């Protein structure tokens, strides 16, 4: 597909400060989220939950794309409309998670490689038929004593680039997601260096494998201290470190950067995105592709009950609007009082 078409899809997803709802939790992950609210993870319950998110009125003003899971892209809304068609009719681009998860990397204790390249060309063709116009592949990198290893960084960059090249061949915009995890006690400087090394290797591989940078979206972590580090950073410090790292390593031709939330609280993820967008010197739109940080309150308001649907939709819309405001650098924390 010519670049301009992929570029137009990517640009439309992040236009007008819109972002992405990552609703692509695998069955295992959504089961963990449901366990936390004591809802049984059955296929009808998973469908009902995704239905409430996707039918939220007004979400299309602030959400430009939704990432679906293999089960979800085949499901239908209450009125019988396939989910991808429902989203597309609202002007929201349907996307699909195509990786098969991060698994132990042979010879590298504590590190992972993401599976899913085998048969990917065929799966992408089917997802295109089902309506997907963008895809997601997530690599995970842990920070620690001599981690991430050069080996882990390299093989994950190679896999991300192979995936991205196959997506573009299929007319699908690849979201390229190299996630430096925040679940240890590393410092913000450790995160900076791990993120910098990861992005450098990634863009080198994307170039080597002839991926058109104008037809991708990058989904990185913010540069942030590990959760267990007592020296937590202010949003201003996170913003400055994140933007510095991205400006050094991400070409200006990339049409958009959409952060993952990675375990930040809902409000933290909004405040930090806002702080980044209050800084000048950004060649790309900087928006969000949040999973947990868009859905935490909504899940709790829903509680698996039809009577909770309206409150859950309100909670989801509130967070999505806050994050769109943050993508424009105009989030006002006072709005949280009415949440
Ligand atoms: P979180 O925002 O919950 O990190 O999820 C985003 C995502 O899609 C991870 O792959």
């Amino acid at each position: 597909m010519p670049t301009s078409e992929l570029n137009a899809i990517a640009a439309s997803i992040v236009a007008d400060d819109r972002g992405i709802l990552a609703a692509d939790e695998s069955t295992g992950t959504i089961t963990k989220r449901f366990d936390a609210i004591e809802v049984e993870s059955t296929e009808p319950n998973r469908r009902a939950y995704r239905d409430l998110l996707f039918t939220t009125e007004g979400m299309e003003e602030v959400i430009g794309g939704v990432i679906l899971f293999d089960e979800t892209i085949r499901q239908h809304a209450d009125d019988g409309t396939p989910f991808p068609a429902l989203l597309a009719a609202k002007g929201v681009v349907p996307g699909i998670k195509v990786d098969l998860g991060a698994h132990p990397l042979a010879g590298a204790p504590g590190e992972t490689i993401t599976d899913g390249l085998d048969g990917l060309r065929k799966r992408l063709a089917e997802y295109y038929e089902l309506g997907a116009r963008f895809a997601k592949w997530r690599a995970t990198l842990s920070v620690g004593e001599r981690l991430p290893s050069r080996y882990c960084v390299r093989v994950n960059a190679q896999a991300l680039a192979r995936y991205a090249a196959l997506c573009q061949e299929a007319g699908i915009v690849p979201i390229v997601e190299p996630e430096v995890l925040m679940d240890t006690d590393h410092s913000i400087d450790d995160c900076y260096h791990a993120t910098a090394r990861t992005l450098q290797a990634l863009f080198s591989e994307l170039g080597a494998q002839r991926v058109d940078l104008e037809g991708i979206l990058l989904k990185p972590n913010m540069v942030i201290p590990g959760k267990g580090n007592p020296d937590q950073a202010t949003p201003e410090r996170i913003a400055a470190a994140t933007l510095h790292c991205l400006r050094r390593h991400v070409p200006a031709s990339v049409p958009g950067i959409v952060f993952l939330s990675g375990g930040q609280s809902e409000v933290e993820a909004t405040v930090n995105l806002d702080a980044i967008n209050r800084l000048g010197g950004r060649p790309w739109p900087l928006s969000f592709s949040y999973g947990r940080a868009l859905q935490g309150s909504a899940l709790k308001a829903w509680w698996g009950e039809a009577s909770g649907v309206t409150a859950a939709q309100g909670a989801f819309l509130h967070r999505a609007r806050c994050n769109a405001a943050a993508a424009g650098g105009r989030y006002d924390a006072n709005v949280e009082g009415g949440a």
Side-chain angles (χ1 to χ4, degrees):
M1 176 176 288
T3 298
S4 55
E5 287 178 44
L6 291 172
N7 180 261
I9 296 167
S12 79
I13 292 172
V14 292
D16 304 323
D17 301 329
R18 294 195 303 172
I20 295 174
L21 165 64
D24 60 320
E25 297 86 359
S26 62
T27 303
T29 302
I30 198 71
T31 299
K32 273 192 239 157
R33 307 274 185 266
F34 279 15
D35 284 350
I37 55 165
E38 293 172 14
V39 172
E40 201 186 340
S41 181
T42 58
E43 190 271 340
N45 282 346
R46 292 191 293 270
R47 194 211 59 78
Y49 173 62
R50 267 65 180 249
D51 184 275
L52 89 78
L53 292 176
F54 306 160
T55 59
T56 297
E57 263 181 56
M59 66 88 114
E60 62 278 8
E61 289 157 24
V62 282
I63 298 289
V66 173
I67 319 175
L68 306 167
F69 181 59
D70 182 77
E71 175 181 87
T72 324
I73 199 170
R74 302 169 196 281
Q75 289 173 324
H76 298 72
D78 289 347
D79 71 0
T81 312
F83 279 147
L86 175 96
L87 293 169
K90 290 177 170 227
V92 177
V93 183
I96 180 73
K97 169 190 172 77
V98 300
D99 70 68
L100 299 180
H103 298 279
L105 176 62
E111 302 201 284
T112 61
I113 179 71
T114 301
D115 284 349
L117 288 170
D118 288 351
L120 183 56
R121 177 177 272 131
K122 210 166 136 205
R123 290 198 291 130
L124 286 168
E126 188 197 2
Y127 288 139
Y128 188 95
E129 286 305 310
L130 288 168
R133 290 297 176 268
F134 75 99
K136 181 190 106 170
W137 179 288
R138 171 173 176 255
T140 57
L141 299 115
S142 293
V143 186
E145 186 74 30
R146 286 202 276 274
L147 298 188
S149 67
R150 212 179 327 163
Y151 163 38
C152 178
V153 168
R154 189 171 66 228
V155 294
N156 275 292
Q158 286 167 343
L160 277 163
R162 286 195 61 197
Y163 140 82
L166 284 163
C167 283
Q168 292 192 334
E169 179 191 83
I172 289 177
V173 172
I175 291 192
V176 176
E177 181 179 2
E179 177 174 4
V180 174
L181 297 168
M182 59 178 285
D183 54 4
T184 50
D185 61 358
H186 57 265
S187 67
I188 189 168
D189 290 343
D190 293 337
C191 182
Y192 183 102
H193 291 300
T195 305
R197 288 171 53 216
T198 300
L199 292 175
Q200 195 164 23
L202 174 64
F203 281 96
S204 163
E205 277 301 329
L206 290 171
Q209 298 193 40
R210 304 178 185 175
V211 173
D212 184 343
L213 297 186
E214 293 183 16
I216 70 166
L217 289 169
L218 177 69
K219 177 163 172 170
N221 52 284
M222 294 179 192
V223 174
I224 199 166
K227 279 199 149 177
N229 191 307
D231 183 19
Q232 288 296 310
T234 61
E236 290 70 31
R237 187 157 172 229
I238 291 166
T242 301
L243 194 54
H244 190 268
C245 192
L246 293 174
R247 279 176 55 85
R248 286 192 132 194
H249 298 288
V250 182
S253 52
V254 171
I257 297 180
V258 287
F259 293 102
L260 57 94
S261 62
Q264 297 180 56
S265 74
E266 292 184 325
V267 172
E268 268 172 340
T270 303
V271 168
N272 289 334
L273 178 63
D274 185 63
I276 294 168
N277 277 300
R278 283 178 191 262
L279 297 175
R282 293 166 274 115
W284 343 257
L286 289 164
S287 192
F288 58 93
S289 175
Y290 292 163
R292 285 163 283 181
L294 273 173
Q295 297 181 56
S297 297
L299 270 166
K300 281 190 204 135
W302 176 51
W303 222 262
E305 302 288 341
S307 57
V309 166
T310 304
Q313 290 183 326
F316 164 54
L317 189 59
H318 171 69
R319 283 266 53 89
R321 284 180 171 158
C322 287
N323 286 313
R330 52 188 161 71
Y331 165 67
D332 174 1
N334 291 319
V335 300
E336 298 296 352

